[in-house]
């Protein structure tokens, strides 16, 4: 199994009371709550943590994109991935992902990813996402065109990476007279493409298509849901007439390894609950603007609303498999069990979450690297 | 004559509309263009207008019982569709009454072609932006807050909120909301190019606004009047975003006086 250290880079110095009072840390939390001096220390701490991940033996270090929120301070994952490209030597760098429909010009994404791939000597893993619902509010991009823009931007980027230029691209949303990428990507035919998702049939059908076979990542979901969607991906491959390889599946999950089960829970509790009850929360109108999902999915979410939008304690999260927490032995056993059921070839662990401070994050990473990572790497 | 449900296949879109009132042979046609939440039922103001006019209330493409055509991408598409609609029903000198989104559609129609339009009544229309008069964020408001903000007099909101929620009403609300987002998400509830061409509107225009409109603030009414100096501006006191509901009698009197003068 390939082990990925994934970071959201939250604004961990957040005044949680301000976040709670505002009802969400997305879109509308006034940015006077962001202190640039604290931000300076956080960015450098988080980049250090990712670089340390390489030293600890992770195969991949991963960043992602979120806008105008304390949940994650990476409006451009290009910036953080670029910094990592120069400071790491062996580990692959994953951008999970660039939010294609939010960008006004997909060629810019093609160029930036190609630059990082060339600078890093072919260590880039590219990810494409649509951005979450809240970001359609902050960016003004029309959510009812989200899927169309995603697909068209994807097509333009992959063609720009693989077809000899110059050529012209005349789409419905994007039109370019001269597509002629300098630099072309280092990897042939292009960097691997991963698709992080909260789970949707449309995304699975598209990502698993024989022309693409993109790695599908189920992010921050109860383990039952992870199980359902990874199985759906495998079944879809079968229906397309090919067998799904384990490398096509991944799971992204927050993890905390302590000296014992009891101390792990004690140390992680307030920081995880800040994550699940402050950083993640938003009203349904913000999460799911019209057109972002099908109306059927929207209705299902509305039905599950009470459950989804209630407070989640660490104990409930562990029970649901939203969070994997305990001694190295407990965490290893849990992942071995999940792996036997689901055979995901990529495990993305988030060793920092919510307000988890630097010392606990490092201790967590070290215990994971020493006590869990070697045994999981060996799973094949 | 009570309202009857009718359908028309137009531009590849099966379109539902209601028609009622005086017969087309002795009364002027009045087309009511609804706002973002559609026109699911016949409201008292429609009945009252039907005493004087041949009243036609279509569901816009993408709303209510009308289909969602693939070509529906922006407000201009809706404007061209309704110019076809006036022609298909052979309406002459039609009084176009548009509320909110419907008022925006009326403006977009009239800058293009007024051959079949007699006059426009714009009821707190979207379509034009004004400095210092920011619209409410209708896509972020929770449903109850949205309903409360529609009205000055909260008893109207209470009545709406007391109406039973059914699977059908949820489906309709989601459909209407989807189309509203498609047409008005960005630029938000206006067309930045519209003011350039408002001078083309060569029929009488009445602007109606509630002084306490919390969805589209009354500042937009003054901007619209500035852009269309010949328009008649009517501001109702103690009234929110839907004067046709909150000030039904006064509103209908105004429409009759304006359209029949």
């Amino acid at each position: 199994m390939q082990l990925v250290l994934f970071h959201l880079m939250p604004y961990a110095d957040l005044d949680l009371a301000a976040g709670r009072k505002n009802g969400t840390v997305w879109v509308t939390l006034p940015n006077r709550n962001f202190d640039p001096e604290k931000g300076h220390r956080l960015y450098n701490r988080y980049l250090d943590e990712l670089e340390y991940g390489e030293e600890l033996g992770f195969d991949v270090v991963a960043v992602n994109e979120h806008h105008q929120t304390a949940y994650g301070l990476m409006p451009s994952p290009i910036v953080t991935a670029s910094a990592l490209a120069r400071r790491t030597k062996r580990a692959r760098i994953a951008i999970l992902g660039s939010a294609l429909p939010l960008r006004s010009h997909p060629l810019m994404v093609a160029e930036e990813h190609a630059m990082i791939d060339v600078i890093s000597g072919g260590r880039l893993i590219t990810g494409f996402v649509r951005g979450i619902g809240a970001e359609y509010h902050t960016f003004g991009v029309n959510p009812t065109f989200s899927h169309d823009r995603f697909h068209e931007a994807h097509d333009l980027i992959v063609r720009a990476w693989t077809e000899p230029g110059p050529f012209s691209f005349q789409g419905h949303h994007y039109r370019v007279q001269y597509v002629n990428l300098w630099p072309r990507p280092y990897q042939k035919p292009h960097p691997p493409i991963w698709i992080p998702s909260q789970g949707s049939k449309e995304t699975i059908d598209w990502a698993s298509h024989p022309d693409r076979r993109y790695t599908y990542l189920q992010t921050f979901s109860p383990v039952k849901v992870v199980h359902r969607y990874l199985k759906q991906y495998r079944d879809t491959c079968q229906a397309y007439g090919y067998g799904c390889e384990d490398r096509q599946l991944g799971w992204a999950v927050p993890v905390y390894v302590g000296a014992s089960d009891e101390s792990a829970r004690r140390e992680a509790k307030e920081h995880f609950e800040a994550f699940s009850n402050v950083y993640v929360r938003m009203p349904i109108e913000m999460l799911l603007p019209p057109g972002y999902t099908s109306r059927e999915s929207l209705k299902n979410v509305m039905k599950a609303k009470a459950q989804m939008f209630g407070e989640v304690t660490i104990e409930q999260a562990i029970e649901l498999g939203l969070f994997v927490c305990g001694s190295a032995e407990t965490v290893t056993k849990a992942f071995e069990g999940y792996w036997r059921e689901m055979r995901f070839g990529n495990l993305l662990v988030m060793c920092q979450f919510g307000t988890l401070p630097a010392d606990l994050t490092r201790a967590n990473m070290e215990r994971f690297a020493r006590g869990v990572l070697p045994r999981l790497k060996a799973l094949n | 004559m009570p309202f009857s449900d009718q359908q028309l296949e137009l531009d590849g879109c099966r379109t539902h509309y209601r028609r009622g009132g005086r017969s087309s042979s002795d009364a002027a046609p009045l087309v009511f263009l609804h706002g973002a939440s559609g026109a699911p039922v016949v409201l008292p103001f429609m009945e009252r207008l039907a005493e004087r006019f041949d009243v036609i209330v279509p569901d816009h493409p993408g709303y209510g019982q009308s289909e969602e055509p693939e070509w529906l991408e922006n407000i201009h598409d809706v404007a061209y569709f309704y110019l076809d609609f006036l022609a298909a029903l052979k309406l002459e000198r039609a009084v176009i009454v548009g509320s909110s989104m419907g008022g925006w559609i009326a403006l977009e129609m009239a800058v293009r072609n007024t051959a079949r339009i007699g006059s426009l009544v714009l009821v707190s229309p979207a379509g034009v932006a004004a400095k210092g008069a920011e619209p409410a964020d209708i896509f972020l408001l929770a449903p109850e807050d949205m309903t409360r903000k529609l009205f000055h007099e909260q008893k109207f909101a209470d009545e709406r909120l007391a109406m039973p929620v059914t699977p059908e009403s949820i489906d309709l609300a989601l459909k209407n909301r989807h189309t509203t987002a498609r047409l008005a998400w960005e630029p938000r509830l206006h067309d930045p190019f519209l003011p350039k061409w408002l001078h083309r509107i060569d029929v009488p225009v009445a602007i109606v606004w509630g002084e306490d409109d919390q969805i589209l603030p009354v500042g937009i009414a003054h901007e619209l009047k500035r852009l269309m100096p010949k328009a008649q501006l009517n501001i109702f006191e103690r009234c929110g975003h839907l004067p046709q509901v909150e000030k039904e009698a006064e509103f209908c009197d105004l429409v009759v006086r304006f359209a029949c003068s």
Side-chain angles (χ1 to χ4, degrees):
Chain A
M1 185 169 16
Q2 183 161 248
L3 271 297
V4 182
L5 180 66
F6 177 53
H7 217 307
L8 285 176
M9 302 199 177
Y11 186 61
D13 288 317
L14 179 67
D15 172 357
L16 294 177
R20 279 185 187 275
K21 184 159 166 268
N22 193 61
T24 178
V25 306
W26 295 78
V27 184
T28 56
L29 181 66
N31 66 357
R32 65 179 143 73
N33 289 285
F34 175 80
D35 177 341
E37 287 178 18
K38 289 176 177 166
H40 167 73
R41 288 192 290 274
L42 283 173
Y43 274 125
N44 287 284
R45 172 194 146 193
Y46 292 156
L47 284 165
D48 287 346
E49 286 168 6
L50 285 168
E51 290 165 19
Y52 189 39
E54 176 181 62
E55 199 181 316
L56 288 174
F58 284 91
D59 303 299
V60 184
V61 289
V63 293
N64 82 342
E65 173 173 336
H66 284 298
H67 296 272
Q68 305 193 52
T69 173
Y71 174 86
L73 294 177
M74 287 186 281
S76 171
I78 303 302
V79 173
T80 41
S82 305
L84 292 168
R86 285 285 297 167
R87 299 276 294 183
T88 57
K89 292 289 171 258
R90 173 194 58 79
R92 306 202 72 168
I93 299 152
I95 297 176
L96 302 175
S98 278
L100 301 185
L102 301 183
R103 300 288 293 260
S104 53
H105 210 318
L107 265 192
M108 195 82 186
V109 178
E111 291 173 338
E112 290 165 347
H113 284 232
M115 277 180 76
I116 295 171
D117 198 38
V118 174
I119 289 170
S120 68
R123 288 186 289 131
L124 179 70
I125 293 168
T126 283
F128 295 142
V129 293
R130 290 193 294 126
I132 73 157
E135 286 152 348
Y136 288 78
H137 289 280
T138 42
F139 259 59
V141 170
N142 191 323
T144 72
F145 292 111
S146 166
H147 281 107
D148 286 358
R149 282 171 68 97
F150 177 84
H151 289 132
E152 197 174 306
H154 161 272
D155 294 349
L156 172 52
I157 291 167
V158 172
R159 286 188 58 192
W161 280 344
T162 53
E163 289 181 25
F167 63 87
S168 126
F169 182 95
Q170 302 300 327
H172 193 72
H173 298 278
Y174 309 104
R175 288 162 288 268
V176 193
Q177 196 55 38
Y178 296 97
V179 180
N180 192 23
L181 221 61
W182 288 74
R184 291 187 288 121
Y186 189 94
Q187 297 175 78
K188 302 266 179 307
H190 58 72
I193 296 172
W194 288 10
I195 307 294
S197 172
Q198 284 275 307
S200 87
K201 183 179 183 311
E202 294 91 334
T203 303
I204 287 173
D205 289 351
W206 180 82
S208 63
H209 189 277
D211 292 350
R212 287 178 282 272
R213 305 185 189 211
Y214 295 158
T215 295
Y216 174 84
L217 307 178
Q218 185 69 29
T219 60
F220 192 57
S221 312
V223 72
K224 258 202 294 194
V225 176
V226 179
H227 201 280
R228 186 198 315 152
Y229 285 114
L230 296 191
K231 178 171 184 313
Q232 190 175 335
Y233 186 104
R234 278 190 192 278
D235 292 347
T236 310
C237 294
Q238 211 63 51
Y240 280 131
Y242 75 95
C244 175
E245 295 174 50
D246 293 354
R247 60 146 195 94
Q248 285 173 264
L249 300 176
W251 175 22
V253 59
V255 172
Y256 191 86
V257 185
S260 68
D261 287 356
E262 190 276 320
S263 68
R265 286 186 188 216
R266 181 163 32 80
E267 287 164 12
K269 185 172 172 66
E270 67 172 292
H271 308 295
F272 180 80
E273 288 177 1
F275 172 69
S276 63
N277 297 326
V278 181
Y279 287 88
V280 171
R281 298 178 81 78
M282 66 182 85
I284 189 168
E285 290 79 14
M286 193 179 274
L287 180 68
L288 297 171
Y292 180 78
T293 50
S294 70
R295 297 207 284 271
E296 279 311 307
S297 318
L298 183 55
K299 276 197 288 185
N300 290 337
V301 174
M302 285 162 68
K303 277 184 211 149
K305 188 175 166 182
Q307 196 188 336
M308 270 189 60
F309 292 76
E311 296 262 319
V312 183
T313 63
I314 189 172
E315 291 77 16
Q316 291 166 326
I318 293 170
E319 182 66 30
L320 289 167
L322 262 177
F323 180 42
V324 179
C325 176
S327 68
E329 192 55 28
T330 301
V331 170
T332 306
K333 284 234 169 80
F335 280 125
E336 283 174 342
Y338 293 139
W339 181 82
R340 273 193 293 273
E341 289 164 23
M342 297 186 257
R343 294 280 175 152
F344 41 86
N346 304 283
L347 178 64
L348 293 78
V349 295
M350 204 166 81
C351 286
Q352 195 284 337
F353 40 80
T355 51
L356 194 73
D359 55 340
L360 293 183
T361 303
R362 288 220 161 213
N364 181 23
M365 288 168 61
E366 286 164 359
R367 288 193 202 101
F368 185 90
R370 239 178 276 126
V372 183
L373 184 139
R375 276 162 67 186
L376 297 187
K377 266 197 179 183
L379 295 176
N380 253 313
Chain B
M1 199 180 102
F3 280 82
S4 64
D5 284 89
Q6 309 200 17
Q7 288 207 343
L8 170 74
E9 175 87 23
L10 182 62
D11 298 332
C13 175
R14 185 158 289 281
T15 308
H16 169 262
Y17 62 98
R18 291 189 175 85
R19 191 165 191 168
R22 305 259 304 260
S23 94
S24 55
S25 57
D26 69 336
L30 183 152
V31 179
F32 177 75
L33 300 177
H34 63 70
S37 48
V41 293
V42 176
L43 291 171
F45 81 91
M46 297 175 189
E47 306 268 16
R48 194 186 288 256
L49 289 173
E51 293 166 12
R52 295 293 296 266
F53 299 96
D54 167 21
V55 176
I56 299 156
V57 185
D59 289 339
H60 308 328
Y63 287 84
Q65 298 174 58
S66 291
E67 286 181 342
E68 299 173 78
E70 291 225 346
W71 51 255
L72 185 64
E73 293 189 279
N74 56 53
I75 202 81
H76 306 150
D77 295 328
V78 190
Y80 288 115
F81 170 85
Y82 273 118
L83 291 171
D84 284 355
F85 182 86
L86 299 185
L89 267 61
K90 301 191 173 60
L91 305 182
E92 304 282 347
R93 299 188 47 76
V95 181
I96 309 292
V97 180
S99 163
S100 197
M101 288 282 292
W104 182 9
I105 296 166
L107 283 165
E108 297 279 0
M109 290 167 73
V111 296
R112 286 169 170 75
N113 186 347
T114 54
R116 291 179 181 274
I117 299 176
S119 58
L120 296 184
V121 180
L122 307 169
V123 192
S124 20
V128 167
K131 281 210 172 69
E134 282 284 308
D137 190 343
I138 59 170
F139 298 110
L140 217 42
L141 282 170
E144 179 174 344
D145 298 341
M146 175 73 198
T147 302
R148 297 224 166 269
K149 269 189 190 288
L150 283 174
F151 299 102
H152 168 83
E153 181 58 65
Q154 285 299 300
K155 75 165 199 245
F156 292 101
D158 294 336
E159 278 170 25
R160 279 212 180 181
L161 291 167
M163 294 206 291
V165 176
T166 63
E168 293 73 31
S169 72
I170 291 173
D171 283 340
L172 268 189
L174 290 176
K175 177 179 180 180
N176 293 345
R177 187 175 168 79
H178 183 99
T179 305
T180 301
R182 173 142 288 202
L183 303 175
W185 186 275
E186 191 278 326
R188 186 57 61 90
L189 289 167
H190 75 287
D191 172 357
F193 305 110
L194 182 57
K196 285 198 279 194
W197 303 107
L198 289 173
H199 65 267
R200 286 175 46 87
I201 298 178
D202 55 0
V203 296
V205 177
I207 303 167
V208 183
W209 224 285
E211 192 175 31
D212 307 315
D213 192 330
Q214 290 187 68
I215 303 296
L216 295 169
V218 71
I220 302 170
H222 298 294
E223 174 64 3
L224 208 51
K225 169 72 180 164
R226 189 185 70 78
L227 292 165
M228 294 193 292
K230 282 188 275 181
Q232 180 194 107
L233 176 60
N234 309 272
I235 294 175
F236 287 117
E237 291 176 2
R238 304 181 57 75
C239 179
H241 187 56
L242 304 174
Q244 70 272 33
V245 175
E246 275 198 81
K247 301 284 175 187
E248 181 213 326
E250 296 96 310
F251 172 80
C252 292
D253 287 350
L254 186 151
V255 173
V256 171
R257 258 185 289 119
F258 169 74
C260 302
S261 65

